[in-house]
Structures are given as C-alpha cells and as structure tokens.
Amino acid sequence: MTAQDTIRARARELLESGEVASFVGWEAGRFANQTTPLIISDPADADKLVFNEYCVNTLAKYVRDLVPRGKVGLVVRGCDSRGIVRLIVDQVIKREDVYLIGVGCPGVIDRKSGEPLKKCTECRHNNPVICDEMAGDEVAKDAPADRFAEVREVELMAQPERSRYFESIYAKCIRCYACRDVCPCCTCRECFVDARRENWVGKQNNVAENRFYGLTRVMHIGDRCIECGECERVCPMDLPLMKLNRKVIQDLNDLFGEFESSMSLDEGPEPLITYDLADREEFM
Ligand code: SF4
Ligand code: SF4
Ligand code: SF4
C-alpha cells in the first residue's frame, strides 16, 4: 500500500466516523506535474487526494479557518507538522483540534524547472515532528545544504553594496502580502499593515514603505519562523526572503545557542520574549 493509498483510506474513515469534520491534503492539478491543496468534508471525495513530488504547498495555515467548524484531519510532512506546532504553541489552535497523518518526505519538485525546490534542499526535518499516525515509513535524507551560506554572502558585502542590494529587493516588492498570507507564524487577526491608524504604517508602494513592511514582518516572526521557505516560494517577484529570515535565525543561534523553532509542543519560551541577566549585550 502506498502512502497515497493510506492517506485516502484514512481520510475516508476519519470523515465517515465523524472523527474529523474536514480533511486537508492535495489533489491533482490541471497538469501532471502540478497539485493544489484540497479541503474535503465528504468521504466520497477521499479518492481525489494525492501525494507525490509535486505537493509543494504546505498545509498548516489552512487549518486555522477550518477549526471553528470542527476537528480537522491533515497530512503532515516535516514542514507541515512544524507549522501545526507553531499554531498550537501560539494558541491559535489546540492539539485536540487536529488529527495528523504523517508522511516522510524526500522533497518536492519545482514544476517549471524540474529541479528540487530550494526549500527542500535546505530542509533539515523531512519527517513529521508530531503526528497521530504515519502513512508509510520515515525517510532518510542526505545532509541538507548549508542554510546560512546565503546570509554569509550578504554579510561579506561592504556596507554601501549591502545597502544597494536591499534597496533593489524592496524596490521590486509589490506589497501583495502573499508572503504573510502563506506564513504559519503570521496569524494576527489584524496585521499591522492592515491597521487603519493615522501615522501608523504607510500603504504606499515605495522602497521605504516596502522595507518597513519587510523588516517589521521579519522581526515579528523572528524566533518563530519554522524555515518552511513558503514565503520565498510564493513571492511573485522572486525576492530572496529567506536570507532575511535566516539572518535573524543565525543571530539567535549565535546569541542564545542552537535554536530551531517549533520542533516540539514542549519548547520553552522563544528567545526574543525572554530576558536573562546573562544575555550578551555588547551593543550597550
Ligand atoms: S520543506 Fe522538507 S518536509 Fe517540507 S516539502 Fe520540502 S523536504 Fe518535504
Ligand atoms: S510576496 Fe513578495 S512581493 Fe508580495 S509582499 Fe511579500 S515580498 Fe512583497
Ligand atoms: S519560512 Fe517564511 S513562510 Fe515559513 S515560517 Fe518562516 S517566514 Fe513564515
């Protein structure tokens, strides 16, 4: 039995028994090398579910809006499961709101290039960090690419060059907010950029305002980012958003020791919201 067969069978059983009100996975897209997320509530639709190397979307974010209608079943790989941990730790959902069918994931493929997606070559957790049952075996994987290599490249730039580099990035941003909408850490009911408050945040599409948006978002999610790479994948302007996310993560590792967000439901408070007298403070 393949993982896809198991996912279909279990989704059908969970919906038929009433254990879950809806189930989230992927369905085949219009083309053979494409899938889209699928949300079903009718057991008869379970056979539409697929699991293959083109399941590029992570699924955790869809859960937030489904939970008020009842328990949600969900397929989780490493990245999806860390997104779920994030939502639970941030008290957006409860553990009992979801039933998780885990799958080991060797990585997914960019349908345009036919190459592995960058987020997957850098992935450090291919298997779910939490689940209720597994559909198939866990996968072993080669050592991932160095996730801080791009950060070091930017750090090596001279300051004026670095400034021009970031200016060129923010000049291209179109403020579509796809990076925010896909992110499992961005769960504020009212995002700071949507707030209507005088002199709060500009809505203009220019370098200064775009930079303000980008940098504020990076600091909002700083020590909670699960490194799923979805923000960078969905950006229609192909902006290298993971460089900024990983700069914060690299600094967190440097300042507070080895740290990865959302690996367990028991993880302690995030480093940026705790204070310790032993904290380094060379800047003071
Ligand atoms: S980020 Fe990791 S778990 Fe997620 S799809 Fe890529 S390889 Fe699989
Ligand atoms: S997805 Fe890209 S273009 Fe859209 S707001 Fe985010 S950074 Fe800007
Ligand atoms: S990698 Fe991007 S989408 Fe994923 S958690 Fe971090 S900021 Fe959000």
Side-chain angles (χ1 to χ4, degrees):
M1 206 175 190
T2 64
Q4 177 175 290
D5 293 335
T6 307
I7 290 166
R8 288 178 176 181
R10 290 295 293 132
R12 189 179 305 109
E13 286 166 8
L14 289 165
L15 287 166
E16 277 172 350
S17 67
E19 166 102 26
V20 300
S22 56
F23 192 91
V24 187
W26 305 268
E27 70 175 329
R30 192 169 165 198
F31 304 104
N33 59 357
Q34 183 192 28
T35 70
T36 57
L38 175 68
I39 299 166
I40 57 173
S41 51
D42 184 345
D45 289 331
D47 283 343
K48 291 182 184 171
L49 291 161
V50 299
F51 180 65
N52 59 42
E53 66 271 38
Y54 297 111
C55 295
V56 296
N57 301 68
T58 62
L59 301 177
K61 190 79 183 268
Y62 293 95
V63 166
R64 181 185 65 170
D65 294 331
L66 292 171
V67 158
R69 288 184 253 161
K71 189 166 180 169
V72 182
L74 185 79
V75 185
V76 290
R77 304 159 296 189
C79 52
D80 309 291
S81 69
R82 290 178 72 194
I84 292 292
V85 169
R86 189 70 259 149
L87 294 173
I88 295 170
V89 173
D90 284 348
Q91 300 182 23
V92 177
I93 61 170
K94 298 188 180 74
R95 177 65 181 92
E96 57 268 29
D97 289 333
V98 284
Y99 190 94
L100 306 174
I101 297 184
V103 274
C105 171
V108 295
I109 292 176
D110 180 346
R111 74 183 183 91
K112 289 182 192 154
S113 69
E115 299 291 324
L117 272 181
K118 177 169 165 281
K119 69 174 188 170
C120 298
T121 60
E122 294 169 346
C123 176
R124 289 154 58 92
H125 302 285
N126 301 67
N127 298 301
V129 297
I130 53 163
C131 67
D132 294 296
E133 61 180 278
M134 284 292 287
D137 298 326
E138 294 197 344
V139 296
K141 203 186 151 217
D142 296 338
D146 177 357
R147 68 207 232 267
F148 297 131
E150 287 185 329
V151 175
R152 286 195 296 275
E153 277 172 24
V154 179
E155 285 175 335
L156 284 172
M157 292 177 188
Q159 195 278 328
E161 183 192 356
R162 196 158 62 222
S163 191
R164 280 194 299 276
Y165 174 73
F166 281 110
E167 200 150 305
S168 73
I169 291 176
Y170 291 117
K172 288 186 204 137
C173 173
I174 57 173
R175 299 283 287 272
C176 65
Y177 302 138
C179 50
R180 172 198 69 179
D181 293 346
V182 79
C183 176
C185 303
C186 281
T187 50
C188 296
R189 283 290 165 192
E190 184 180 36
C191 176
F192 74 100
V193 287
D194 293 332
R196 288 191 189 177
R197 235 188 278 178
E198 204 171 333
N199 299 326
W200 176 242
V201 55
K203 314 289 187 198
Q204 301 91 336
N205 185 205
N206 58 41
V207 172
E209 297 295 351
N210 298 350
R211 182 167 46 211
F212 185 83
Y213 161 64
L215 292 179
T216 307
R217 198 184 92 82
V218 166
M219 292 312 293
H220 268 193
I221 53 111
D223 56 3
R224 297 181 301 121
C225 173
I226 64 165
E227 300 180 64
C228 64
E230 281 290 88
C231 48
E232 189 171 275
R233 181 184 70 80
V234 301
C235 176
M237 305 309 289
D238 290 329
L239 301 184
L241 302 180
M242 288 308 291
K243 285 184 186 173
L244 278 167
N245 297 338
R246 288 229 165 88
K247 169 61 178 160
V248 177
I249 293 165
Q250 186 194 48
D251 286 352
L252 287 169
N253 275 264
D254 179 35
L255 286 165
F256 304 111
E258 185 68 24
F259 174 76
E260 272 188 300
S261 157
S262 314
M263 291 297 295
S264 142
L265 294 178
D266 306 319
E267 74 184 21
E270 294 79 20
L272 290 179
I273 58 167
T274 53
Y275 168 71
D276 191 301
L277 281 174
D279 285 347
R280 279 164 49 187
E281 48 176 302
E282 295 92 339
F283 57 93
M284 295 289 274

